[in-house]
Amino acid sequence: MSLLKSIYIVGLFVSIALNTTQPVKGQEQSNSNSSSVDVVNESGEILQRNIPSARIYKIWDDRPAPNRGADFNIKKARGYPYDEDWELHSYPIGNGFMGANIFGRTNMERIQLTEKTLANEGLYGIGGLTSFAEINLEFNHENPSKYSRSVNINEAIAYVHYTHDGVAYKREHFISYPDNILVIRLSASKKGKISFTLKPEIPYLRDSTQKNSRTGQMDVNNNLITLSGFIDHFSENYEGQIKVINQGGTLTASQNGDKSEISVSKANSVVLLVAAATNYELSETLFLEDVHHKKLNPENLPHNKVSKRIKFAAEKGFEQLKATHLKDYKSLFSRVQLSFYTETPKVTTRKLLQNYQSGTNHPYLEELMFHYGRYLLISTSRKGALPCGLQGVWSQYEVTPFTGGFWHNINVQMNYWGAFNTNLAETFTPYVEFFEAYLPKAKSLATEYLRKNNPQALITDSLDNGWTIGTGTTPHKIVGPGGHSGPGTGALTTKMFWDYYEFTMDTAFLLKTAYPAIKGMSRFLSKTLIPYGDSLLLVYPSASPEQKQEGNNYITAGTTFDQALVWENHNDLLKVAEILNIEDEFTDLVQDQITKLDPIIIGQSGQIKEFREEQYYGEIGQKQHRHISHLCALYPGTLINSSTKEWMDASILTLDLRGNNTTGWAMAHRMNARARTGHGEKAHEVYSKFIKERTLPNLWTTHPPFQIDGNFGCMAGVAEMLLQSQEGYIEPLAALPKAWSSGEYRGLVARGNFETSVIWKDGKATSIEVFSKSGGICRLKYKGIADAALKSILGKAVKFQSSAADSLSFLSEKGKTYVLTFGGK
């Protein structure tokens, strides 16, 4: 059979079996020409994965972000200043290195720029993200008509459209990851109608005599404005360049200190290119150096790298820059499709949210929030950049709330919970790079911790004491555990490394990164355990994150948080040892210790105890505390599962007792935990509450103030409701709520590196497709699955084994796709 003929047959089969080529009623189709049919050879091996056309997702409004002035916007949220116009109404774009917030104004446009490595003294003196610059564009277009602003999530491009004096104006904004450049194009329906003045600002300048000193200056050279300066806390140099490229018209520049500007008059179109950088370098030395002003080299200037980026981008031109950006971004975003078969609402995103908050729960918004989360993750976490912090890659503040850093008692982990199952594993790479840089310091912190808390277990050579990490972490400093969070924080971190392996089956990563990280953490945790009674080992000192008693951190022995996470890390190490065929004395020690942890205890209220000495629920700590740290063994851990029914029932009760009246990210954790219990209605209930109470008009989520972990946590929760794989088998629609009675998804990933696609109707799957990216045994669990027909993508029957009506398994081949259809063989 010819290749073309086989492709035709495959396409016919896929369109019949999966119906993915037919547009869903009410969906707005993209202008993509890609087919939903994969290109395969005669044996069914995938030669090219083609992505089906998808509806266009966007956040949009019919009016600019408000401009109510500094007096209105200087408010406080949990003690931190926040700008309501920026936080609630601006639209974010980013590429991991830089972020920009677009306000869409027509009189004086504001584009606020963040560069992730720019930091000042910040909170507690440990450093914190700070705003880089303000890019103001003065158009003086009063009272426009036909106004709209949006971010096309399928493209990662922000648009502003309006008509003024009979001319239709258009602005496009994107930040390219490959070129690391912010690109803005201004165009009009008539020639010679683009006139504006560029008026940039360097915010928060303070001379060297003031706290949080920051100096800066602006220089104009023809069509280029350079913003540069110095922040003394970390000896950090920074520079940004804005290049104005006009087609037609005239350009004039004015050098006048902080009032420097460039004016364009009567141009046909204009492109602005913006690059920014600092002298920050991620390195082991950075974390090992304890004196803050010695962490960076003040002799290093970012001028040359910024200039090269601007020069290259200018030579490349707008169309090529845009094409490069789209190819890169879509290669990630387009991997996953999800639709609940809803009409695309005609109202603005702001109004859609208002309606939802008033009781009109539209599943489209729940669907949109999922896609928006993936957009934000791609925009904030890319290889070579710093990981995603509390505010992603966006901050307009001098002192960003909670530093904007990487808080390790749940927040940074939550940022990456959905990276793996939503097919964005590459976005975890920045954390791996960050880990490799801070690891030597983390090893010394382990030695310091043990010297203070368990000196008898200390080995003089710090390399033999493992490594550890505590909660408050920034791009410049890490700390050890203590205070309000116990040593289990480190194991909550290594869980991400094990998950990365399980979802990608990347053995090179397992050998180089995951195994050393997990083993080093087990080595440290093994030394935090103190003999208790005749047979137990308990972590001491131990704390359940941020729980207090009578106003003080509650320090005890063997909290569920610490015991369960020691079990999780030890168990993951034993799994790695089995995969790699490792037998040594330390593995034997771990095998012995894991049997003595007694990690989960049920109390007199039927609850999972948070503390060993607790009898009835809530007698220690806050009953409705935002953290559910004692349920980390349920999610993201796996110790509590369907085979431990008593523990699972106690977890369900504990979630009921804890309640959902909490902060943003904490609702997201509850949502994922509910999904793990299989209770789709309960998971959906907290998701709906999250949208109603903790989601802002621009769909950012709030702690308060704004924290992006809520966006990522609920994105992970949606995926967890639709696909689970933590118990050794793939379970589609594991926690499907009635609100999502019909729909389809494509491209979610299960452990074992199985890319999974499902169509369901009236709450029941009609077809399940599995693309085996690594080969191996594929185990599936779904009601009545043993009666489904299992075929290759070419329609050839595939043999499988089934021990029960709801399960089957088969040996998959790498690169091949398998389709199960229901309704008779």
Side-chain angles (χ1 to χ4, degrees):
M1 182 186 294
S2 70
L3 176 60
L4 288 176
K5 188 173 181 181
S6 69
I7 293 172
Y8 173 79
I9 293 174
V10 171
L12 182 62
F13 176 79
V14 173
S15 65
I16 294 172
L18 297 181
N19 195 28
T20 55
T21 59
Q22 298 301 313
V24 177
K25 181 180 179 182
Q27 285 191 359
E28 180 181 8
Q29 299 298 306
S30 74
N31 56 8
S32 170
N33 292 321
S34 63
S35 167
S36 65
V37 179
D38 296 327
V39 178
V40 300
N41 60 23
E42 292 185 16
S43 64
E45 182 180 7
I46 301 292
L47 302 177
Q48 177 184 335
R49 294 287 285 175
N50 286 328
I51 305 300
S53 297
R55 91 163 87 191
I56 298 173
Y57 293 96
K58 63 181 181 179
I59 56 171
W60 72 285
D61 207 340
D62 57 6
R63 63 191 189 193
N67 188 9
R68 290 168 287 195
D71 291 340
F72 178 87
N73 286 307
I74 300 302
K75 295 187 174 183
K76 296 275 186 177
R78 295 182 65 88
Y80 291 93
Y82 81 106
D83 177 341
E84 186 170 301
D85 293 345
W86 178 87
E87 188 160 304
L88 275 67
H89 300 288
S90 67
Y91 283 170
I93 58 175
N95 71 342
F97 297 99
M98 294 192 296
N101 289 78
I102 315 300
F103 288 71
R105 295 168 182 160
T106 62
N107 189 11
M108 177 72 83
E109 169 65 304
R110 177 189 177 194
I111 299 172
Q112 184 272 320
L113 184 69
T114 308
E115 204 279 346
K116 200 188 281 182
T117 65
L118 187 68
N120 56 18
E121 183 178 356
L123 184 71
Y124 310 133
I126 62 175
L129 186 65
T130 192
S131 177
F132 192 94
E134 299 280 348
I135 303 171
N136 302 304
L137 303 176
E138 187 176 47
F139 295 103
N140 293 320
H141 288 170
E142 301 280 358
N143 301 317
S145 61
K146 300 179 181 179
Y147 179 91
S148 71
R149 63 185 175 107
S150 63
V151 176
N152 184 313
I153 294 172
N154 303 64
E155 300 176 338
I157 298 179
Y159 295 93
V160 178
H161 294 88
Y162 62 90
T163 297
H164 182 260
D165 287 344
V167 179
Y169 290 92
K170 178 182 179 181
R171 303 183 215 150
E172 302 167 74
H173 322 71
F174 61 87
I175 307 183
S176 167
Y177 169 72
D179 295 306
N180 196 5
I181 201 90
L182 166 60
V183 183
I184 305 167
R185 181 167 69 172
L186 315 176
S187 58
S189 60
K190 297 180 181 179
K191 292 184 177 180
K193 293 296 183 179
I194 303 293
S195 298
F196 68 97
T197 300
L198 166 64
K199 297 182 175 182
E201 299 177 35
I202 304 175
Y204 309 122
L205 293 177
R206 300 175 186 269
D207 64 39
S208 58
T209 65
Q210 295 178 297
K211 181 180 174 64
N212 250 345
S213 169
R214 176 180 181 175
T215 61
Q217 64 181 38
M218 276 192 277
D219 297 293
V220 181
N221 183 9
N222 295 322
N223 66 342
L224 182 73
I225 291 186
T226 300
L227 299 78
S228 60
F230 182 75
I231 299 180
D232 67 351
H233 187 73
F234 291 120
S235 299
E236 189 160 18
N237 295 304
Y238 65 90
E239 181 170 317
Q241 295 182 16
I242 308 171
K243 191 177 189 68
V244 182
I245 303 172
N246 58 301
Q247 298 295 322
T250 59
L251 182 148
T252 57
S254 172
Q255 174 74 55
N256 185 23
D258 61 0
K259 303 297 183 183
S260 297
E261 58 190 41
I262 292 176
S263 294
V264 174
S265 179
K266 299 181 179 179
N268 299 327
S269 65
V270 177
V271 172
L272 288 83
L273 304 174
V274 184
T278 73
N279 62 329
Y280 178 90
E281 292 184 7
L282 182 64
S283 67
E284 297 177 0
T285 304
L286 176 77
F287 294 103
L288 291 170
E289 175 58 67
D290 291 328
V291 179
H292 59 77
H293 67 267
K294 292 183 179 180
K295 286 180 176 287
L296 302 179
N297 183 357
E299 301 300 317
N300 289 342
L301 299 173
H303 174 74
N304 287 340
K305 58 184 175 183
V306 174
S307 298
K308 287 179 180 178
R309 280 186 217 149
I310 288 285
K311 182 177 183 294
F312 182 77
E315 292 172 349
K316 199 169 183 179
F318 176 82
E319 293 299 339
Q320 193 174 349
L321 287 168
K322 183 177 179 180
T324 302
H325 161 72
L326 288 173
K327 181 179 179 181
D328 167 72
Y329 174 78
K330 287 187 173 184
S331 71
L332 296 171
F333 182 80
S334 298
R335 292 173 183 173
V336 169
Q337 307 295 334
L338 169 64
S339 173
F340 298 139
Y341 291 174
T342 59
E343 299 281 344
T344 303
K346 303 301 182 183
V347 298
T348 66
T349 306
R350 171 177 47 82
K351 182 63 174 175
L352 178 65
L353 179 63
Q354 289 174 350
N355 292 343
Y356 193 102
Q357 292 170 336
S358 298
T360 307
N361 293 16
H362 202 304
Y364 173 82
L365 182 55
E366 298 163 4
E367 179 183 325
L368 176 62
M369 286 288 288
F370 169 81
H371 293 294
Y372 190 52
R374 295 184 72 250
Y375 161 79
L376 292 173
L377 185 55
I378 298 168
S379 301
T380 58
S381 193
R382 301 296 302 272
K383 179 179 173 59
L386 287 168
C388 178
L390 284 173
Q391 278 75 27
V393 68
W394 299 282
S395 174
Q396 81 94 51
Y397 303 110
E398 180 177 21
V399 179
T400 300
F402 309 107
T403 77
F406 318 113
W407 295 77
H408 277 71
N409 62 357
I410 197 170
N411 309 94
V412 73
Q413 294 91 344
M414 184 177 290
N415 285 348
Y416 292 105
W417 281 350
F420 311 122
N421 56 5
T422 73
N423 217 332
L424 294 175
E426 297 94 329
T427 62
F428 183 61
T429 300
Y431 189 87
V432 175
E433 295 170 334
F434 186 64
F435 162 76
E436 290 171 345
Y438 76 61
L439 183 58
K441 179 64 176 180
K443 290 178 178 179
S444 70
L445 289 173
T447 296
E448 292 176 18
Y449 180 92
L450 294 170
R451 183 177 291 117
K452 177 182 178 182
N453 295 295
N454 193 10
Q456 63 269 27
L458 184 68
I459 296 176
T460 304
D461 184 353
S462 65
L463 296 178
D464 288 331
N465 294 313
W467 67 278
T468 190
I469 193 166
T471 299
T473 301
T474 74
H476 300 83
K477 183 180 179 66
I478 69 167
V479 297
H484 63 52
S485 298
T489 300
L492 191 61
T493 302
T494 52
K495 178 60 70 175
M496 297 188 293
F497 291 86
W498 174 248
D499 282 347
Y500 181 95
Y501 168 71
E502 278 210 298
F503 279 96
T504 65
M505 303 303 289
D506 185 342
T507 53
F509 175 84
L510 184 67
L511 282 165
K512 178 180 181 293
T513 304
Y515 173 56
I518 295 169
K519 183 178 181 180
M521 183 54 60
S522 270
R523 190 175 293 278
F524 166 72
L525 292 173
S526 72
K527 299 174 183 295
T528 69
L529 296 168
I530 308 295
Y532 183 84
D534 296 331
S535 60
L536 297 183
L537 293 172
L538 302 184
V539 173
Y540 182 82
S542 179
S544 194
E546 303 184 32
Q547 270 285 24
K548 296 179 183 292
Q549 184 78 343
E550 297 179 352
N552 298 312
N553 293 327
Y554 188 77
I555 309 300
T556 183
T559 65
T560 299
F561 172 77
D562 284 328
Q563 296 297 120
L565 284 168
V566 173
W567 187 95
E568 291 285 347
N569 195 84
H570 274 15
N571 187 56
D572 289 343
L573 179 64
L574 294 175
K575 288 187 287 187
V576 175
E578 183 177 358
I579 293 168
L580 300 180
N581 196 27
I582 295 171
E583 295 182 7
D584 56 25
E585 290 184 2
F586 183 68
T587 304
D588 292 341
L589 173 67
V590 168
Q591 184 68 69
D592 177 65
Q593 285 189 344
I594 202 171
T595 65
K596 300 175 180 179
L597 294 175
D598 192 26
I600 307 297
I601 308 174
I602 298 176
Q604 294 297 312
S605 300
Q607 85 281 17
I608 298 289
K609 286 189 178 185
E610 190 164 1
F611 305 96
R612 300 185 70 81
E613 58 271 34
E614 161 195 335
Q615 294 302 315
Y616 293 93
Y617 177 80
E619 66 183 24
I620 301 174
Q622 299 172 4
K623 292 183 178 180
Q624 275 73 52
H625 198 276
R626 57 194 174 277
H627 282 269
I628 50 172
S629 302
H630 47 321
L631 297 182
C632 283
L634 172 66
Y635 186 95
T638 60
L639 173 58
I640 299 174
N641 56 62
S642 63
S643 67
T644 60
K645 186 179 186 305
E646 188 179 9
W647 291 352
M648 182 65 80
D649 290 343
S651 297
I652 293 168
L653 176 62
T654 303
L655 285 166
D656 290 339
L657 292 170
R658 203 64 145 198
N660 295 334
N661 292 322
T662 187
T663 193
W665 62 262
M667 289 189 192
H669 193 184
R670 285 157 171 77
M671 177 184 176
N672 282 275
R674 289 292 192 182
R676 279 283 171 92
T677 69
H679 288 186
E681 298 308 317
K682 290 284 189 178
H684 184 263
E685 177 184 330
V686 68
Y687 186 30
S688 179
K689 184 178 178 68
F690 175 94
I691 294 174
K692 290 177 179 178
E693 298 180 7
R694 292 290 184 253
T695 302
L696 305 174
N698 59 4
L699 299 192
W700 269 351
T701 59
T702 181
H703 178 50
F706 158 60
Q707 279 187 200
I708 206 165
D709 45 15
N711 284 100
F712 297 141
C714 71
M715 174 194 77
V718 171
E720 197 71 20
M721 292 165 73
L722 296 174
L723 181 70
Q724 294 183 25
S725 57
Q726 70 277 0
E727 296 193 36
Y729 51 79
I730 300 170
E731 186 174 7
L733 309 182
L736 186 71
K738 294 178 182 177
W740 305 341
S741 60
S742 297
E744 65 178 282
Y745 64 78
R746 178 184 174 104
L748 294 181
V749 180
R751 290 168 178 82
N753 204 12
F754 294 104
E755 198 172 278
T756 307
S757 304
V758 179
I759 297 176
W760 69 96
K761 183 178 181 181
D762 297 329
K764 297 179 180 180
T766 59
S767 68
I768 299 172
E769 176 188 294
V770 177
F771 172 47
S772 179
K773 299 175 73 175
S774 298
I777 296 176
C778 178
R779 298 179 177 88
L780 288 154
K781 179 181 179 181
Y782 190 78
K783 185 176 181 180
I785 199 171
D787 291 327
L790 176 63
K791 298 181 179 180
S792 72
I793 196 72
L794 294 174
K796 183 179 179 181
V798 175
K799 293 182 180 180
F800 62 84
Q801 295 180 336
S802 177
S803 58
D806 296 342
S807 66
L808 64 78
S809 63
F810 63 94
L811 181 62
S812 71
E813 294 184 48
K814 180 179 179 180
K816 290 192 176 182
T817 299
Y818 303 86
V819 180
L820 289 111
T821 53
F822 294 80
K825 296 184 179 180

